[in-house]
Amino acid sequence: MQDVHPHHLSSLALDLLLLGDLGDEPARDAKRHIEACPSCRERYEELQLSYETFERQVHPRTAADVTRRAGTTVAATPFLGAHPRRSRWRTATLAALAGAAALLLLLARPFGRREPSLAEDTALLVKGAPSFDIFARRASRVFLVQDGAQLEPGDAVRFMASAGGASFLLVASIDAAGRATIYFPYLGQESAAISPGRHFTDSSSIVLDETRGPERIFALFSSKPIAAEVVSRALAAIGRGGVESIRGAPRVDVPADFQTSVLIEK
Amino acid sequence: MTRPMSDARVAALYKKYGPAIFARCRRLLTDRAASEDATQEVFFRLVKHLDRAPTSVEALMWIYRIATNHCLNELRNQRRRARPSAPAMLDGSETTSEPSDASEDLLANRDLARRLIERAPEHLRVAAWLYYVDGMSHEEVGLALGLSRRTIINYLGQFQRRATKFVEAQSL
């Protein structure tokens, strides 16, 4: 069994890159590889999105509680010599790994074709509220879109959602021109089926057009499909109220079991 | 001799390594709420190791080990609650001979590897995940799990044989 397959970046290399601990030259090599390798770029962007979600949403909400609950004592032992199970070969190898970070770029498996995130089997039946995030890409930077965020025409956006207990999802928006667009399923006739309890990532990106002003993007989760026409009419009603109506309307009047929205400004 | 870990130190470790823990849990569990819960549980287990880790490499090795094991256990428990009759992987040969390239090809499909890993015996699961899904080398997997490279190769060989038998049995 071969060990090293110099084709892709390992998870260790990607995490070190995002932590800023890969070293200048290895980091440059890694970024060049990411730009050239669609598979690694996709993995890197997915990892980057998770990092952003934690930093922007999870950490602010949980840090105080985690700090309070952690309250632990730790044995103040020096690194070397006080861990009887730490062998010399492990210590030396770890040091070598840390010092020869360039080698980390070449540690990989020859990944096969990456399966889409939407799986048909082994539904986990995990309950909980659905969640919906929007991420934008501008040049090489990927970032989480917060409510009210300022975006530019040409920015590419992707959706990520957790279905919770929902079975169907429809993503649609109303923009300042009063135009309702069904983003997911793209130009579809009704909500698309999603696996309950699973995570979904729309594999395609949507490039924002030149229309300036507010655009509110709705994620409509439901146990039954909602007709796109119903959603479009409800969104158009919001649009008729003008830009302030779009900014001030976090909900749309449709039979969704759960809905959330994000306002973007162009 | 013990010393309390200061709140500032805990906060700094959570801020620095929380993203890596969350990303791993999210990738394994997919559900956002479950991932957040798992992130905190894993951090509490890890915090002492993170405090002592001299480099991010060692910290990440601990994260991969603890988080992967925790989340795979969660998946196993959920799967048992949902489908108690789900078949476990078949018992494969326990020889130490190296597996064939055919089984390597089988596991080149990461999504398939994920599903097979969830069904594997506990002592093989984390090693298989780190190798097939994370793309880590035998040596890195060994470092993360505190095992020799030879042991990892042995474990992965066992996993591959079980996976091949399982897939063949499902297709009959």
Side-chain angles (χ1 to χ4, degrees), chain B residues 54-80:
Chain B
T55 66
S56 291
V57 173
E58 184 151 4
L60 285 169
M61 292 296 180
W62 278 109
I63 291 171
Y64 295 157
R65 178 180 186 173
I66 304 294
T68 305
N69 192 50
H70 177 86
C71 293
L72 287 175
N73 284 340
E74 284 292 307
L75 288 172
R76 177 199 60 196
N77 294 338
Q78 287 165 4
R79 190 168 57 82
R80 283 177 179 170

Side-chain angles (χ1 to χ4, degrees), chain A residues 1 3 11-12 15 21 57 61-62 72-74 86 90 107-109 111-112 114-115 121 133 199, chain B residues 3 5 14 16 30 32 36 56 58 64 98 104 108-111 115 131 134-135 138 140 143:
Chain A
M1 184 191 303
D3 186 17
S11 295
L12 181 60
D15 273 314
D21 291 337
Q57 297 183 347
R61 201 163 13 89
T62 60
T72 55
T73 58
V74 59
R86 185 192 300 279
R90 178 188 166 95
L107 300 172
R109 301 297 312 127
F111 293 134
R114 182 176 173 83
E115 290 290 325
D121 66 337
D133 293 308
H199 169 73
Chain B
R3 61 168 169 79
M5 195 186 304
Y14 187 58
K16 181 174 174 73
T30 67
R32 168 83 173 261
E36 290 189 24
S56 291
E58 184 151 4
Y64 295 157
E98 302 240 342
E104 277 275 358
N109 181 318
R110 287 170 65 213
D111 190 60
R115 285 183 271 148
Y131 184 75
D134 281 331
H138 297 136
E140 286 178 320
L143 285 169

Side-chain angles (χ1 to χ4, degrees), chain A residues 1-5 9-13 15-16 19 21 39 43 46-47 49-51 53-55 57-59 61-63 65-77 79 83 85-86 89-90 93-94 97-98 104 107-116 119 121-129 131-133 160-164 197-199, chain B residues 1-5 7-8 10-11 14-20 22-24 26-32 34 36 39-41 43-44 47-48 51-52 54-58 60-62 64 75 78-79 82-83 98-99 104 108-112 114-115 118-119 131-140 142-149 153 156-157 160:
Chain A
M1 184 191 303
Q2 283 188 306
D3 186 17
V4 175
H5 299 267
L9 299 173
S10 71
S11 295
L12 181 60
D15 273 314
L16 285 170
L19 287 172
D21 291 337
S39 170
R43 290 169 55 225
E46 184 175 330
L47 193 64
L49 297 183
S50 289
Y51 270 58
T53 300
F54 181 86
E55 288 162 1
Q57 297 183 347
V58 181
H59 181 267
R61 201 163 13 89
T62 60
D65 189 48
V66 166
T67 303
R68 179 182 58 77
R69 288 171 59 194
T72 55
T73 58
V74 59
T77 53
F79 171 51
H83 297 277
R85 296 175 68 183
R86 185 192 300 279
W89 73 265
R90 178 188 166 95
T93 308
L94 279 171
L97 272 178
L104 296 175
L107 300 172
R109 301 297 312 127
F111 293 134
R113 183 177 62 84
R114 182 176 173 83
E115 290 290 325
D121 66 337
T122 63
L124 298 177
L125 302 179
V126 176
K127 298 299 182 183
S131 67
F132 177 72
D133 293 308
M160 291 176 68
S162 289
R198 297 306 295 260
H199 169 73
Chain B
M1 176 179 71
T2 61
R3 61 168 169 79
M5 195 186 304
D7 286 354
V10 172
Y14 187 58
K15 187 174 176 66
K16 181 174 174 73
Y17 293 114
F22 176 72
R24 175 145 296 257
R26 185 84 189 263
R27 192 173 181 198
L28 278 149
L29 299 178
T30 67
D31 178 77
R32 168 83 173 261
E36 290 189 24
T39 297
Q40 294 189 41
E41 288 302 316
F43 179 75
F44 293 141
V47 65
K48 292 181 185 178
D51 182 54
R52 295 177 203 163
T55 66
S56 291
V57 173
E58 184 151 4
L60 285 169
M61 292 296 180
W62 278 109
Y64 295 157
L75 288 172
Q78 287 165 4
R79 190 168 57 82
R83 288 193 318 193
E98 302 240 342
E104 277 275 358
N109 181 318
R110 287 170 65 213
D111 190 60
L112 175 61
R114 287 172 63 116
R115 285 183 271 148
E118 290 175 22
R119 291 169 167 81
Y131 184 75
Y132 289 109
V133 183
D134 281 331
M136 295 170 70
S137 69
H138 297 136
E139 187 173 66
E140 286 178 320
L143 285 169
L145 300 182
L147 299 169
S148 70
R149 183 172 179 271
I153 291 175
L156 294 175
Q160 284 187 19

